[in-house]
Amino acid sequence: MRTTCLLALLLSVVLTNAARAQESPVAHVVDSYIETSGHEMLRSLRELVAMPNVSENQEDVRVNADFLVDQFEARGARMELLEIPGANPTVYGELLTPGADRTLMIYIHYDGQPVDPARWRATEPFVPALFSDALENGGALIDWPEDGDEIDPGWRMYARSTSDDKAPIVALLAALDAINEAGIPLTSNIKFFFDGEEEIGSPNMRKTLDLYVDKFEDVDLWLFCDGPLHQSRKPCVYFGVRGITGFELTVYGATRNLHSGHYGNWAPNPGMRLAQLLASMKDGSGNVMIEGFYDTVTPLSESEVAELAAVPQIDESLREELGLLESEAPEQNYLQRMQLPSLNIKGIRCGAVGSRARNIVPNEATVAIDIRLVKGNVPRDMIQLVRDHIRSQGYTILDDEPTMQERRESGKLIRMQTSATGYPAARTAMDNPQVEPVVEQLQIILGDEELLKIPGLGGSLPLYLISDYLQQPLMIVPLANHDNNQHSPDENLRIGNLFYGVKAMAAILTAPPVE
Amino acid sequence: MRTTCLLALLLSVVLTNAARAQESPVAHVVDSYIETSGHEMLRSLRELVAMPNVSENQEDVRVNADFLVDQFEARGARMELLEIPGANPTVYGELLTPGADRTLMIYIHYDGQPVDPARWRATEPFVPALFSDALENGGALIDWPEDGDEIDPGWRMYARSTSDDKAPIVALLAALDAINEAGIPLTSNIKFFFDGEEEIGSPNMRKTLDLYVDKFEDVDLWLFCDGPLHQSRKPCVYFGVRGITGFELTVYGATRNLHSGHYGNWAPNPGMRLAQLLASMKDGSGNVMIEGFYDTVTPLSESEVAELAAVPQIDESLREELGLLESEAPEQNYLQRMQLPSLNIKGIRCGAVGSRARNIVPNEATVAIDIRLVKGNVPRDMIQLVRDHIRSQGYTILDDEPTMQERRESGKLIRMQTSATGYPAARTAMDNPQVEPVVEQLQIILGDEELLKIPGLGGSLPLYLISDYLQQPLMIVPLANHDNNQHSPDENLRIGNLFYGVKAMAAILTAPPVE
C-alpha cells in the first residue's frame, strides 16, 4: 500500500518535470549545447586557469581582468574595469535587454588562493591537467580529449581556481553562446560583477559599491556564483552565507628559547599554555565554551527548518569519504552545524617538530583562528567574547610584543591580533519574490533532478554588503563539486559540474518574470 | 652577637682559603698564565669555533677531529681516532704519568648543534665575533684585542659551540701549557674522550666503550666538561645529569585539509584535539598529571638535600633576566625542579599562521615532546605511562599514518613516534672517594671563591654509560656561562668563563691522591 503511494508520488514528480522540460525550449538548447560544445568548454576553462591569479600578484590578476573584458565584449556586453587605487579591478559588465523590467547581477570572482607548488601532487598549480577521476579515488592522468571523443562527466581538471571560481565564468560564457545561437531572448537586464579580491576578503568591495553606486541601484537580485554544491552531488541553491572574522594569539614565555634540559620544568612553556587556553575554548564534542558564543544566533524560520530537514543527510557518506569515524557534536548533522557559528584552528606555530626539532623550551606559541558567523552575530562582539574569555583565564592581552615592563607586571601575557577583513553573515528569505522565478526556471531545466534549497552555506562571502548594506536580495548558485580541494593543493573541478553550471547560468538568463 | 659569630665564620673561611692558595703553586701558575696568555686563548678559541661542526655534517666534524689530534699530540699526548663505521670519530688520547696510580678521563664533545643562520643576530654561526657584553645587555660588536690590550672578562664571543662545547677544549690546552711551562708534574694518568656525536645523542658511545674496552677499564673517575655553570655565576660541580627520552605525536583529522567555511564546526580539528590532549598532561602549575609520572623518582640523600639547600637561590634573578614574572610550580625552586622529571613541548606544527595561514581545517597536528628523566626513571617505562595516558583519553595509538581501515575503526587516531636516542639519568654520590680530591683541589685554586656542589644538572648527557654500564664514578665540571644561548641562535661564551675553565682543568690535572 505504502509502496504504491510512494510510486505514484514519484511518477507524478517525474511526469511534472518532464512536462515542464517539454514546455521549456531552454532545457533542450542547453542539453544539446553541452552535447556539441563540451570540448570547447574544456578548452576554454583550460585556457582560463592557465592564467595565474593569486590575489596578491596584482599584475597576474590584471591579465585575467583584461581577458574577461575581451571575452564578454565578444558576446555583446558593455564592459568596464571599476578601479580603486591600489586594488585589483572589479570587472563590471552590462547586457541590457530591451523591454526587460528586472535587473539581475551575476557575481563571480576571478582571483585565486595562494599556491605552494611543492604540495601539489596532480600538477603544477597553473598547468591544468586532466584526470580520469579524483586522485583520492585512484584517478590517473589522461590526455586532453580530441573533438569527437566522448567526455566523461566524472573526469577532473586540476589547477588553481578550476572550481574556485573560474568554472562559473566558463559556464556563463557557454550559456550565453547556447542561448544566443538558439535565438532565445534574455528575460532580464544582466549585469556582471567579477571580483578580483575575493580570496583576500574583498577589502575594496564596499568602496566599489559606494564609488560606482549608479551601477548597482537598479539591481533586483544578486546571483552569487561561487562555492561548492551539496555533498550529495545534487543541484542546490543557498540563500545566505556565514560571515567570518579571525585573530591570531601569541602566548609568550621567556625572552628567548631556552635549553629544555636546563630550563624544562621550570620555565613556563608557551606551547603548553596555549594548549591549555585552546582546550578551555571548546569541549570534546566540538561545542564552544566561550560564554555567550551562541547567544546572538538568529533562529531559522519554520520554513527554513523544513527545507533544511528535506535535504538528504550526507553526514555518513561524508565521514566515509573523509576517513572520519566521528564528526563534531554528533547530535547535530552537517547542515545544522553550518547554521551555527564556528571556532576553528587554522594553524599553530611553536618551535619545531621532526628533523628540525631542537631541545628547547620555545619562547612563544602562536595560533591562527577563524570564527564563522551566522545571522545575528556581530564580528566585533564575537571577538570581544573571546577577549573576555582569555582574560578570564588569567591573561593580560597585548596589542604588540611584550615590553620588559609588561613582563614584570603579568605572568600570563598574550598578544591578540585581530583580522581587519571580518564581516557578518547574510541571509535572504527563501520566499522572497525575486528569488522564486530563478529557482523555478532552474527546476524546469533540471527536469526530474531535484533541486535542494538550503538556508545557509558554510563558507563565507561578503554578501552582507548586498543584504544589509545595499538592502537587496541575493541567492547563491554554486556549481563546483564539494570535493574540489578548494583553498588547498590539488584544487580540481569535476567536468560534470561544469556542464551543470551551464544549466544554472541559463536559468538565470531566462528566468520568467516576477509575479 | 649573631653578627659577630657570622663574621668570625666568614673570616675563618677566607683565611683558610687564603692559606690553601698560598700552599698551592698551581693557583699562582694558573693566575699568571691567564694574565699573560689570555690573548692566545682568545685566538685559539676563535680558530676552533670557526670550524663548522654540526654533528650531521660528517666531513666538517672530521676536520675538527684531525685538528684536535694535532693540538694534543703537540702537547705530548698519544692520540687516536676511535672509529665506528658511519659515525663521527671519538678522539681518544692518553697522557701517562710515571708513578701515578690513578687514571682520570676527561670528556668533552667537539660537535655542535644545527644552525639556522637567518636567525642569528650577532654574526654568522661560524664567523666568531666579539661583543662588549651579551646582546640582550646592550653588548656591541668590538674589535679583536691586540696583544697588550686588557681583556674584559665580561666580553662575549659569539659563534656556534663557543660554550657547547669547545671552550673546555681550549681551557684544557691552556691548563696543560700553563702547568708544563711551570714544570709542575701531573698527578694522574690523564685520558681524553672527545665525543663527535653528543649533539645527536651519542648513538655510538656504547659501541665505542665496548669495542675499545681496554682503554676504559682502568679509569678511576670521569670528568665531564660540558654544560653551563650555575646561574649565580659561581663556580660549581655536579654529580649527575637528567636522562632524556622523547616522542612525537600526530593527531589526525580528515584525510585532507578542508575548507574551514564548509567544514569548520563539523570536521574534527586536529589542532584543537591535540591542544586538549596536551592540556590533559600538565596542570596550570606545571605539574605533570600523567598517572605515575613522579612515582619512580629516587629521593635525594640527606647530604644531597643539604648541599642543595646551601646553593644560592637564583629563581628571582633568573626570572628577571628571562622576562618572567612567574615560573612553573612556584612552591619549588629552580634546583629542586631540576631534580624532577620534566615533560616539555619542543614544538607544535599544525596548518600555518601569519601570512601563510589559510582558511582550512588542518588534516593533522604534530607535537614534539621531550621528557627529562631523573635517577629511578626508566625511559621505556616513562613512555609507557604516556601511552597509557593517551589511551585513557580515548585515543587509538598507531605506529604509522592511519589506513582507511584504521580510520573506520576509531574516531580518535594518534601516531606516536618514540625517539631511539633516549637514556636514563646518572648520579654519583657526593662522598665518593674518587671525587673528593678533585673538588678539594678546585677549591684550593679558587681560593676564597665558593664552589657550589649540586647533585644533578638539568641537562642530559649519556652518563648512565659510565655510572650504570661501566660502573665508574663521574662528576661534571662545567665552565660555560648559563646565559650562553646553548642550542639556539647567538650561542656565546663569556670570556671570564674561559679563564675559569683553566682553573677547573688545572685542578683535574693536579688533584692530590685519593686518601
Side-chain angles (χ1 to χ4, degrees):
Chain A
M1 182 71 176
R2 204 166 169 195
T3 314
T4 317
C5 280
L6 259 179
L7 198 65
L9 185 69
L10 279 172
L11 267 174
S12 83
V13 170
V14 171
L15 289 174
T16 312
N17 285 343
R20 276 187 190 153
Q22 274 177 349
E23 285 164 23
S24 160
V26 179
H28 293 291
V29 161
V30 169
D31 284 344
S32 77
Y33 181 87
I34 293 168
E35 187 76 23
T36 56
S37 303
H39 289 89
E40 200 177 318
M41 290 177 68
L42 249 60
R43 280 192 295 271
S44 178
L45 182 58
R46 183 182 173 188
E47 181 182 9
L48 187 55
V49 295
M51 302 167 71
N53 68 335
V54 176
S55 323
E56 286 84 352
N57 303 339
Q58 297 198 324
E59 283 182 33
D60 285 350
V61 171
R62 201 163 281 270
V63 172
N64 286 266
D66 293 340
F67 183 84
L68 292 185
V69 167
D70 291 347
Q71 292 291 311
F72 284 87
E73 279 182 347
R75 270 85 177 175
R78 199 188 65 71
M79 302 302 291
E80 191 177 338
L81 298 186
L82 308 186
E83 300 279 2
I84 300 287
N88 296 331
T90 298
V91 180
Y92 170 78
E94 295 178 351
L95 202 52
L96 301 185
T97 302
D101 56 2
R102 172 181 55 188
T103 300
L104 302 181
M105 176 69 90
I106 297 176
Y107 170 102
I108 305 173
H109 71 88
Y110 67 97
D111 64 328
Q113 279 275 319
V115 291
D116 180 356
R119 301 185 55 225
W120 285 60
R121 292 177 302 152
T123 182
E124 295 284 308
F126 298 109
V127 180
L130 198 63
F131 277 71
S132 57
D133 199 339
L135 279 184
E136 53 276 23
N137 301 340
L141 185 69
I142 55 175
D143 288 337
W144 295 98
E146 311 219 353
D147 280 340
D149 292 351
E150 199 170 333
I151 296 175
D152 181 343
W155 288 350
R156 305 276 179 129
M157 193 188 299
Y158 281 86
R160 174 57 85 218
S161 291
T162 44
S163 268
D164 182 23
D165 187 30
K166 285 180 166 176
I169 296 170
V170 173
L172 174 56
L173 291 168
L176 284 168
D177 290 346
I179 288 165
N180 187 41
E181 282 167 22
I184 297 173
L186 302 186
T187 53
S188 316
N189 296 313
I190 302 292
K191 293 188 169 184
F192 308 115
F193 189 109
F194 300 139
D195 190 349
E197 298 190 324
E198 197 272 340
E199 295 296 3
I200 50 171
S202 301
N204 295 293
M205 186 158 174
R206 178 159 176 169
K207 224 181 257 182
T208 305
L209 294 179
D210 284 342
L211 199 58
Y212 302 96
V213 62
D214 54 307
K215 303 189 189 309
F216 307 111
E217 281 168 336
D218 62 349
V219 174
D220 294 297
L221 177 66
W222 287 68
L223 291 308
F224 282 83
C225 304
D226 191 11
L229 286 179
H230 188 248
Q231 290 87 343
S232 62
R233 300 209 193 280
K234 287 185 195 287
C236 69
V237 290
Y238 295 87
F239 298 89
V241 285
R242 293 203 280 192
I244 186 171
T245 187
F247 54 89
E248 291 206 0
L249 299 173
T250 300
V251 173
Y252 295 94
T255 47
R256 53 185 167 87
N257 291 334
L258 298 173
H259 186 284
S260 66
H262 301 307
Y263 295 94
N265 223 32
W266 180 85
N269 186 305
M272 180 58 80
R273 285 209 164 158
L274 181 62
Q276 290 163 339
L277 178 62
L278 292 171
S280 76
M281 292 184 180
K282 218 164 167 179
D283 70 16
S285 306
N287 293 307
V288 178
M289 296 188 291
I290 293 168
E291 206 178 318
F293 196 78
Y294 299 109
D295 289 359
T296 52
V297 173
T298 304
L300 295 180
S301 73
E302 271 181 48
S303 63
E304 285 166 334
V305 169
E307 288 285 359
L308 204 56
V311 176
Q313 295 300 309
I314 40 80
D315 287 60
E316 201 51 52
S317 64
L318 202 54
R319 281 192 291 261
E320 172 70 18
E321 179 191 322
L322 297 172
L324 295 168
L325 185 68
E326 56 191 39
S327 42
E328 286 195 334
E331 76 284 0
Q332 294 169 313
N333 68 35
Y334 171 82
L335 275 178
Q336 288 170 326
R337 293 295 286 169
M338 294 303 113
Q339 316 307 317
L340 288 173
S342 75
L343 178 97
N344 175 65
I345 295 176
K346 299 194 290 183
I348 304 175
R349 184 178 60 199
C350 173
V353 304
S355 61
R356 296 182 61 84
R358 289 172 306 133
N359 289 332
I360 56 163
V361 184
N363 67 336
E364 57 181 51
T366 299
V367 64
I369 287 179
D370 63 350
I371 293 185
R372 301 284 169 166
L373 308 164
V374 298
K375 203 157 174 69
N377 299 148
V378 177
R380 67 172 175 280
D381 294 350
M382 296 298 274
I383 294 285
Q384 187 58 45
L385 294 180
V386 177
R387 293 180 75 89
D388 294 345
H389 177 82
I390 294 171
R391 286 211 182 89
S392 79
Q393 301 294 306
Y395 280 94
T396 299
I397 300 177
L398 309 173
D399 294 328
D400 223 315
E401 295 197 10
T403 62
M404 276 309 259
Q405 186 56 36
E406 284 163 337
R407 287 175 169 277
R408 280 185 203 107
E409 286 164 4
S410 168
K412 292 177 86 174
L413 294 169
I414 195 166
R415 180 185 190 180
M416 187 172 194
Q417 295 173 278
T418 53
S419 141
T421 55
Y423 49 79
R427 201 154 75 214
T428 289
M430 280 190 193
D431 54 5
N432 183 291
Q434 292 292 341
V435 149
E436 287 182 332
V438 179
V439 173
E440 187 186 329
Q441 179 72 351
L442 182 50
Q443 185 62 76
I444 286 171
I445 293 175
L446 288 172
D448 50 13
E449 241 187 311
E450 185 196 3
L451 177 68
L452 308 180
K453 296 175 277 292
I454 304 175
L457 182 71
S460 302
L461 291 166
L463 304 193
Y464 78 101
L465 287 173
I466 310 308
S467 62
D468 292 29
Y469 186 59
L470 294 186
Q471 296 272 328
Q472 292 169 347
L474 62 91
M475 61 184 281
I476 300 160
V477 186
L479 68 81
N481 41 298
H482 70 280
D483 53 353
N484 67 36
N485 294 338
Q486 194 179 1
H487 292 202
S488 293
D490 293 325
E491 179 175 344
N492 68 85
L493 179 80
R494 190 176 159 277
I495 301 305
N497 288 63
L498 182 60
F499 297 160
Y500 162 73
V502 186
K503 299 182 182 183
M505 294 297 176
I508 295 167
L509 298 173
T510 63
V514 175
E515 275 171 19
Chain B
M1 183 70 176
R2 202 168 169 190
T3 315
T4 316
C5 281
L6 260 178
L7 197 65
L9 185 69
L10 280 172
L11 268 175
S12 83
V13 169
V14 170
L15 289 174
T16 310
N17 286 343
R20 277 187 190 155
Q22 273 175 349
E23 285 164 25
S24 161
V26 179
H28 293 293
V29 162
V30 168
D31 285 344
S32 78
Y33 182 88
I34 293 168
E35 186 77 25
T36 57
S37 303
H39 289 89
E40 200 179 316
M41 290 176 67
L42 249 62
R43 280 193 295 272
S44 177
L45 181 59
R46 183 182 174 188
E47 182 182 8
L48 187 56
V49 295
M51 302 166 72
N53 67 336
V54 176
S55 323
E56 287 83 353
N57 302 339
Q58 297 199 323
E59 282 181 33
D60 285 350
V61 171
R62 202 163 280 270
V63 172
N64 285 264
D66 293 340
F67 183 84
L68 292 186
V69 167
D70 291 346
Q71 292 291 309
F72 284 86
E73 279 182 347
R75 269 84 178 175
R78 198 187 66 71
M79 302 303 290
E80 192 178 336
L81 297 187
L82 308 187
E83 299 280 1
I84 300 286
N88 296 331
T90 297
V91 180
Y92 170 78
E94 295 178 352
L95 201 53
L96 302 185
T97 303
D101 57 1
R102 173 180 54 189
T103 299
L104 301 180
M105 175 68 89
I106 296 177
Y107 170 103
I108 304 172
H109 70 88
Y110 67 96
D111 63 327
Q113 280 275 320
V115 291
D116 180 355
R119 301 185 55 226
W120 285 60
R121 293 176 302 153
T123 182
E124 295 284 309
F126 297 109
V127 180
L130 197 64
F131 278 71
S132 59
D133 199 338
L135 279 182
E136 52 275 23
N137 301 340
L141 184 70
I142 55 175
D143 289 335
W144 295 97
E146 312 219 351
D147 280 339
D149 292 351
E150 200 170 335
I151 296 175
D152 182 342
W155 288 350
R156 305 278 179 129
M157 192 188 299
Y158 281 85
R160 174 57 85 220
S161 291
T162 44
S163 269
D164 183 21
D165 187 28
K166 284 180 166 176
I169 296 170
V170 173
L172 174 55
L173 291 168
L176 283 168
D177 289 346
I179 288 166
N180 187 41
E181 283 167 21
I184 296 174
L186 303 187
T187 52
S188 316
N189 296 313
I190 303 292
K191 293 188 170 185
F192 308 115
F193 189 109
F194 300 139
D195 189 349
E197 299 190 325
E198 197 273 341
E199 296 296 4
I200 50 171
S202 302
N204 295 293
M205 186 158 174
R206 180 162 173 164
K207 225 182 256 180
T208 305
L209 294 180
D210 284 342
L211 201 57
Y212 302 96
V213 62
D214 53 306
K215 301 185 191 311
F216 308 111
E217 281 169 336
D218 62 348
V219 174
D220 294 297
L221 176 66
W222 288 69
L223 289 310
F224 282 84
C225 303
D226 191 12
L229 286 179
H230 188 248
Q231 289 88 344
S232 62
R233 298 208 194 283
K234 286 185 196 290
C236 68
V237 289
Y238 295 88
F239 298 89
V241 286
R242 292 202 282 193
I244 186 170
T245 187
F247 52 89
E248 290 206 2
L249 299 173
T250 300
V251 173
Y252 295 94
T255 47
R256 54 186 167 86
N257 290 334
L258 298 172
H259 187 284
S260 66
H262 302 307
Y263 295 94
N265 224 33
W266 180 85
N269 186 304
M272 181 57 81
R273 286 209 165 160
L274 180 62
Q276 290 162 339
L277 179 61
L278 292 172
S280 75
M281 292 184 182
K282 216 162 169 181
D283 70 17
S285 305
N287 293 307
V288 177
M289 296 189 290
I290 293 169
E291 206 179 318
F293 197 77
Y294 298 109
D295 289 358
T296 51
V297 174
T298 305
L300 295 181
S301 71
E302 270 180 47
S303 64
E304 285 166 336
V305 169
E307 287 286 358
L308 205 56
V311 175
Q313 295 299 309
I314 41 79
D315 288 59
E316 202 50 51
S317 65
L318 202 55
R319 280 192 291 262
E320 172 71 17
E321 178 191 323
L322 298 172
L324 295 167
L325 185 67
E326 56 191 39
S327 42
E328 286 196 335
E331 77 285 357
Q332 293 170 313
N333 69 37
Y334 171 81
L335 275 179
Q336 289 170 326
R337 293 295 286 169
M338 294 303 114
Q339 316 307 317
L340 288 173
S342 75
L343 179 99
N344 176 65
I345 295 175
K346 299 193 291 184
I348 304 175
R349 184 178 61 200
C350 171
V353 305
S355 61
R356 296 182 60 84
R358 290 172 306 134
N359 290 332
I360 56 163
V361 184
N363 67 336
E364 57 181 48
T366 299
V367 66
I369 288 180
D370 63 351
I371 294 185
R372 300 283 168 165
L373 308 164
V374 298
K375 203 157 174 66
N377 299 150
V378 176
R380 68 172 175 280
D381 293 351
M382 297 297 276
I383 294 286
Q384 187 58 46
L385 293 179
V386 176
R387 294 180 75 90
D388 293 345
H389 176 83
I390 293 171
R391 287 212 182 89
S392 78
Q393 302 292 308
Y395 280 94
T396 299
I397 301 177
L398 309 173
D399 294 328
D400 223 316
E401 295 196 10
T403 62
M404 276 311 257
Q405 187 56 35
E406 285 163 336
R407 287 174 169 280
R408 280 184 203 108
E409 287 164 5
S410 168
K412 291 177 86 174
L413 294 170
I414 196 166
R415 181 185 190 183
M416 187 173 194
Q417 295 173 277
T418 52
S419 141
T421 55
Y423 50 79
R427 203 156 74 213
T428 290
M430 278 189 194
D431 53 5
N432 183 290
Q434 291 293 339
V435 149
E436 287 182 334
V438 177
V439 173
E440 187 186 331
Q441 179 72 351
L442 182 50
Q443 184 63 75
I444 286 172
I445 294 175
L446 289 172
D448 48 12
E449 238 188 311
E450 187 195 2
L451 177 68
L452 307 180
K453 294 175 278 294
I454 303 174
L457 182 71
S460 302
L461 292 166
L463 304 195
Y464 78 102
L465 287 173
I466 309 308
S467 62
D468 292 28
Y469 187 59
L470 294 186
Q471 296 272 325
Q472 294 170 347
L474 62 91
M475 60 183 282
I476 301 162
V477 185
L479 68 81
N481 42 297
H482 69 280
D483 53 352
N484 67 38
N485 294 336
Q486 193 178 2
H487 292 202
S488 294
D490 293 324
E491 179 176 344
N492 68 84
L493 179 79
R494 190 176 159 277
I495 301 305
N497 289 64
L498 183 60
F499 296 159
Y500 162 73
V502 186
K503 298 182 183 185
M505 292 298 176
I508 295 168
L509 298 174
T510 64
V514 174
E515 279 172 15

